[in-house]
Amino acid sequence: MSEPLVWLPFDPSELGDVPAGLRYEVVPTLDEVPASVGEVELVVTPYDLGDQLGEAVKGMERLRVVQTLTAGVDAVRASVPADVTLCNGRGIHDTSTAELAFLLVLAGLRDLPRFVRAQDRREWSPAWRGALAGKRVAVVGAGSIASALQRRLEAFEAEVTMVGRTAREGVRATDELPSLLPEQDVVVLLVPLTDATRGLVDADFLAALPDGALLVNVARGAVVDTDALLAELGTGRLRAALDVFETEPLPDDSPLWDARGLILTPHVGGLSDAMWPRAYRLVREQLERFAAGEPLENVMDGDY
């Protein structure tokens, strides 16, 4: 019997010591799959996969495992057959995405765009602005990225409330949000996109926030009702920083480009040089488990 075939989106040499007992093929994109499609048993998907898996998976007769390089699996889960194990990239983006979320919180509170624009005009324009120290921050989503962000926020003397799907030690439940939101200066979204979180941040959610609160979304664009957010931003009552959007790239005619009190970044939460070493480590460890017939990590079971 031949060794199981693995598709990688990068050269196997990036893994260092390549796990033995497996065959490797470099498949950087799933737009056009190679002739070995019927033999592949484990697929590590490209980071910028998009919707390519849906068509490619139809020819994968021996497929057993799909390993993504993203923490969110909303783009692929519908395409993964029920008898195939889906694993996400939890741990790959903790550092990079937590850093961006932290940066957006600081930039929003200190109004960094104001000073950058003043620099462009060669204008000396001092102004008093808010600090992170002493602020109450709710992190909605209590996974590994959220924990990494919590450590950074608390190091800067913020009062952090972690909010997850269910209550546990150190984490409040999402059904407590109506009572928690009026007390928060900042809310950071780090939830996966599911039926339960789609449109979570609606008009009622936003209305519950106090005047001057900052909303930061580094989760998925569809978690936020864009029209409801635009309405609040238009009055100047709330501020926001968004790294994710329902439609990406953001269309040229989107009103978000000109929205008052809004910082935009083009979905760059994972795009730093901290990502790839962690990606290679996770993939290597998963392949070692796969080759040895051991249980895999980051298995996405049930309602994720």
Side-chain angles (χ1 to χ4, degrees):
M1 180 180 295
S2 63
E3 297 173 331
L5 177 62
V6 174
W7 280 2
L8 296 174
F10 45 74
D11 193 285
S13 64
E14 300 288 358
L15 299 176
D17 294 329
V18 180
L22 303 172
R23 290 183 292 141
Y24 298 95
E25 186 170 355
V26 178
V27 183
T29 175
L30 297 183
D31 281 331
E32 295 183 8
V33 296
S36 61
V37 63
E39 302 175 42
V40 65
E41 297 187 36
L42 187 152
V43 173
V44 179
T45 59
Y47 177 65
D48 53 350
L49 177 64
D51 58 0
Q52 302 166 6
L53 184 63
E55 190 64 30
V57 78
K58 295 176 182 178
M60 298 178 182
E61 300 172 358
R62 298 186 186 178
L63 185 63
R64 295 163 55 193
V65 178
V66 172
Q67 171 69 59
T68 72
L69 298 181
T70 58
V73 295
D74 48 282
V76 303
R77 57 183 169 185
S79 300
V80 177
D83 61 346
V84 173
T85 300
L86 173 62
C87 302
N88 78 340
R90 180 170 57 86
I92 292 176
H93 303 287
D94 293 5
T95 295
S96 185
T97 303
E99 281 186 0
L100 181 70
F102 185 71
L103 170 66
L104 292 176
V105 170
L106 281 178
L109 290 174
R110 298 299 296 261
D111 199 6
L112 186 62
R114 167 194 171 95
F115 300 111
V116 172
R117 290 171 182 137
Q119 178 183 351
D120 291 341
R121 299 189 298 267
R122 294 176 173 267
E123 178 182 297
W124 186 263
S125 182
W128 287 84
R129 288 294 182 266
L132 177 54
K135 292 295 189 296
R136 298 160 298 181
V137 182
V139 179
V140 183
S144 59
I145 298 175
S147 296
L149 175 61
Q150 180 184 17
R151 294 192 295 272
R152 288 158 173 78
L153 293 169
E154 290 179 341
F156 277 63
E157 304 175 42
E159 179 183 329
V160 181
T161 300
M162 302 293 286
V163 183
R165 185 173 56 182
T166 57
R168 53 191 183 274
E169 184 177 357
V171 179
R172 308 285 289 273
T174 51
D175 59 12
E176 298 181 67
L177 280 171
S179 62
L180 292 173
L181 292 175
E183 304 172 355
Q184 306 305 314
D185 301 299
V186 180
V187 173
V188 182
L189 304 174
L190 274 167
V191 292
L193 180 60
T194 66
D195 290 341
T197 62
R198 187 179 296 275
L200 172 69
V201 181
D202 56 13
D204 290 339
F205 184 111
L206 296 168
L209 292 170
D211 292 355
L214 172 67
L215 176 75
V216 176
N217 188 10
V218 288
R220 286 292 185 265
V223 172
V224 176
D225 181 329
T226 300
D227 290 339
L229 178 60
L230 283 167
E232 288 283 9
L233 294 175
T235 67
R237 196 182 76 81
L238 300 179
R239 295 165 293 158
L242 307 177
D243 184 52
V244 289
F245 308 89
E246 288 191 74
T247 301
E248 296 181 0
L250 190 64
D252 291 344
D253 60 355
S254 171
L256 289 170
W257 288 110
D258 300 310
R260 180 180 178 185
L262 177 62
I263 299 172
L264 299 180
T265 53
H267 202 154
V268 293
L271 302 186
S272 82
D273 57 11
M275 173 192 159
W276 285 111
R278 290 159 176 79
Y280 298 144
R281 181 171 63 239
L282 173 65
V283 170
R284 182 177 63 252
E285 291 172 351
Q286 290 286 69
L287 292 176
E288 289 170 349
R289 296 183 185 98
F290 182 72
E294 298 174 352
L296 300 176
E297 296 291 331
N298 295 5
V299 175
M300 305 301 289
D301 287 326
D303 180 15
Y304 46 76

